[in-house]
Amino acid sequence: MDTSSQNDRAAWLRGRIAKCAHLPGRLARPLRVVLLGAPGVGKGTQAALLSQRYGACHLSTGDLLREAKTQSSREQTLAMSSALNFMRHGALVPDTIVWQLVRERSGCFQCPGGFILDGFPRTLAQAGALQHLMEAEALQLDAVINFELPASEIVARLSGRRTCATCKAVFHITSQPPQFADTCDRCGGLLYQREDDRAQAIVVRLQAYERSTAPLIDFYSAKGLLTSVPAAGEPEQICLHTMAALEERKVNRAAHSGDASPAARGLFVV
Ligand code: AMP
């Protein structure tokens, strides 16, 4: 597959010193959304699909922490090595460390194509910090999509998941196998099982979700931003439902605001 025109997310994954190889063109109406949902509901897969459709950058805190893991131990600060230890066991990384990483990348929130936040925020403290950042950057979230899936399916998805070591594309050994064993269809990279997709870590992650992340559903619902989408079925189908939910929100918002201009009523894409 030709990956030459895909955004490599360098500025997000490696921080300010790096520049993205291909910035999307400036859109009249860039999409800015948060994806919520338990680990394993498919946020990463949906973020990648939505990113292809809308041109918005896929901002995953999990991906940037995994990127930090690829640095040699001498390059890693003490705080970062302790953060990676939390991650390895399926626990949440402390808010201060995650927030420092996100704040250093605040330029990505101004991405001309918009953004899709995947895995952030994960606690009420992070959601509050994001809100302040958005206000400071004079930006607004368009929606928060909450992907819903029964717990039994979540465990099956996590334990069969394989991730590309190079481009981070996500596969599943039965429901979305790669064409060639252990090889990424997108870039030819090696597929591996994340440490935190192993059985003991899955239990810890689901507990962390219930305790710290599930309260965000009420937080964003109270702000009128939340839209729930069932996450069972084929990724393409779920993506279509998500796009329909986003477009519906757009039309509803235009109707409530009385703004009937094409920009207000139009799709998120130009
Ligand atoms: P993910 O790829 O989103 O499933 O994240 C993998 C792991 O990275 C999580 O289980 C946490 O250990 C850590 N992590 C990612 N994002 C956050 C966050 N916003 N807050 C705390 N920990 C995070």
Side-chain angles (χ1 to χ4, degrees):
M1 180 190 256
D2 175 21
T3 55
S4 59
S5 61
Q6 280 175 4
N7 184 354
D8 60 357
R9 305 186 290 159
W12 178 255
L13 294 177
R14 296 203 294 280
R16 262 182 302 203
I17 44 151
K19 281 206 161 41
C20 293
H22 295 280
L23 273 185
R26 183 160 291 282
L27 300 179
R29 191 72 187 78
L31 177 72
R32 298 187 183 102
V33 290
V34 166
L35 305 187
L36 281 187
V41 293
K43 296 187 295 298
T45 303
Q46 290 306 314
L49 290 172
L50 291 169
S51 173
Q52 283 163 18
R53 305 290 199 287
Y54 290 104
C57 192
H58 175 188
L59 305 182
S60 153
T61 39
D63 283 349
L64 86 81
L65 286 162
R66 280 183 287 278
E67 183 72 20
K69 219 168 165 181
T70 63
Q71 293 178 339
S72 78
S73 46
R74 254 188 312 164
E75 286 170 306
Q76 276 171 24
T77 60
L78 204 60
M80 183 52 79
S81 358
S82 102
L84 298 177
N85 232 4
F86 281 101
M87 193 181 171
R88 216 162 271 135
H89 295 102
L92 291 187
V93 170
D95 285 336
T96 45
I97 296 180
V98 175
W99 180 239
Q100 188 187 332
L101 290 168
V102 171
R103 207 184 41 203
E104 282 168 9
R105 291 157 173 79
S106 59
C108 293
F109 289 82
Q110 293 289 357
C111 184
F115 60 78
I116 300 162
L117 274 171
D118 158 22
F120 182 89
R122 250 182 166 101
T123 64
L124 284 170
Q126 292 178 12
L130 174 65
Q131 190 176 331
H132 285 125
L133 178 81
M134 296 286 286
E135 282 164 13
E137 298 277 332
L139 295 171
Q140 277 191 331
L141 282 179
D142 293 303
V144 174
I145 305 289
N146 179 36
F147 290 110
E148 296 179 320
L149 197 66
S152 56
E153 199 163 328
I154 287 176
V155 174
R157 280 199 191 180
L158 286 174
S159 48
R161 182 158 73 177
R162 298 294 179 270
T163 305
C164 174
T166 309
C167 76
K168 326 290 178 220
V170 176
F171 297 83
H172 190 277
I173 49 174
T174 52
S175 64
Q176 209 193 339
Q179 254 182 305
F180 303 102
D182 302 327
T183 308
C184 176
D185 291 352
R186 202 155 88 178
C187 75
L190 187 69
L191 301 185
Y192 74 107
Q193 183 176 38
R194 286 168 34 178
E195 275 178 299
D196 60 350
D197 279 346
R198 297 184 186 148
Q200 291 125 310
I202 290 177
V203 174
V204 180
R205 288 168 73 194
L206 291 176
Q207 285 167 346
Y209 170 77
E210 281 305 326
R211 195 174 47 243
S212 305
T213 313
L216 295 183
I217 295 173
D218 286 343
F219 178 85
Y220 283 119
S221 179
K223 293 186 180 305
L225 282 168
L226 196 84
T227 299
S228 289
V229 173
E234 292 300 313
E236 288 289 341
Q237 207 55 39
I238 300 162
C239 182
L240 288 177
H241 290 150
T242 308
M243 291 170 72
L246 285 170
E247 299 311 335
E248 195 182 323
R249 278 194 62 82
K250 182 86 178 78
V251 172
N252 282 343
R253 268 174 53 163
H256 284 121
S257 68
D259 183 352
S261 69
R265 294 183 56 78
L267 303 181
F268 285 103
V269 284
V270 212

